[in-house]
Amino acid sequence: MDTGIAVDTASGIVTDAAADVATDMKQAMRQRHTVRKFTSKPLSPELISQLNDRVRANNERLGLAISLKVGDESALPGVLKLFFAKGVCNYFVLAGSDRPGLDEDLGYASADLMLFAQTLGLNTWWIGGTFSRKNVEQAVPGKKVIGIVAVGFGVTPGVAHKSKTAAEVSSYDGPAPQWFADGVQAALLAPTALSKQCFRIVGEGGKVSISENGGAFSGADIGIVKYHFELGAGNAFDWA
């Protein structure tokens, strides 16, 4: 199983070889919370370069067309910026050529990008239904866009979302090994649509499967949850 949690910026290929990077990503997973208000501090050229390297690695690995937009305030409608959000001017466009499995792959990549941004001292917000689709889609003609991820310096670090228990979202055939328990705990930290955590993780032997309730963002949610489970469980299992 390939966790996809480290990136070799020289080759542009995502790998799981760097243990120190894996540790940073696990720490970021525990620290990352949704942030909807950002300061006016711009992203430095170095940060932009690092984020673009990560985008490129995910695109090449998963066959996607994600892009980073910087200094663009057109992604959110005015009423949202007035009452609910602030300072959203940098964001990842979650896009790719429409195909089976695209939403899940975009969700998986978005999880990697959010946690990587967290390791750089940045904050994020996964936005699915409230962005200006017309404005965003102009940047990626001919591609399917499922959402955006705002990125920048948060006014606050955010707060942890209300979470279900492991028993409410998972089951294992027989005594659950530690890697499964660790994976489920990591999955519970994953951002999901409306924070509903409508996923189910089932394990048997060395195999694990994840299902969702079929909502509008179920594919993306499965990808995000898979990424978090892999980060927590390590290389001890295979997907069923």
Side-chain angles (χ1 to χ4, degrees), residues 74-216:
S74 68
L76 298 185
V79 65
L80 191 65
K81 290 186 285 188
L82 184 62
F83 295 107
F84 191 58
K86 176 183 177 182
V88 176
C89 61
N90 313 302
Y91 56 93
F92 300 106
V93 180
L94 304 179
S97 298
D98 197 7
R99 56 171 169 78
L102 174 65
D103 288 20
E104 182 177 319
D105 285 345
L106 286 170
Y108 188 95
S110 71
D112 181 76
L113 293 171
M114 286 188 289
L115 296 187
F116 181 68
Q118 188 76 30
T119 69
L120 301 179
L122 301 171
N123 304 103
T124 52
W125 173 22
W126 208 107
I127 309 171
T130 53
F131 66 98
S132 177
R133 184 169 294 276
K134 179 181 178 181
N135 290 342
V136 172
E137 287 180 343
Q138 289 177 349
V140 284
K143 304 297 183 182
K144 178 183 177 181
V145 177
I146 69 164
I148 65 173
V149 174
V151 58
F153 296 96
V155 173
T156 71
V159 296
H161 60 252
K162 184 178 179 180
S163 180
K164 294 181 178 180
T165 65
E168 290 177 299
V169 302
S170 68
S171 62
Y172 195 89
D173 185 17
Q178 188 61 47
W179 61 260
F180 184 80
D182 292 342
V184 171
Q185 289 302 318
L188 287 169
L189 297 175
T192 57
L194 302 178
S195 298
K196 288 186 174 181
Q197 297 181 311
C198 296
F199 57 86
R200 186 74 184 169
I201 304 173
V202 177
E204 181 178 2
K207 293 189 178 296
V208 177
S209 63
I210 297 180
S211 59
E212 237 267 7
N213 67 353

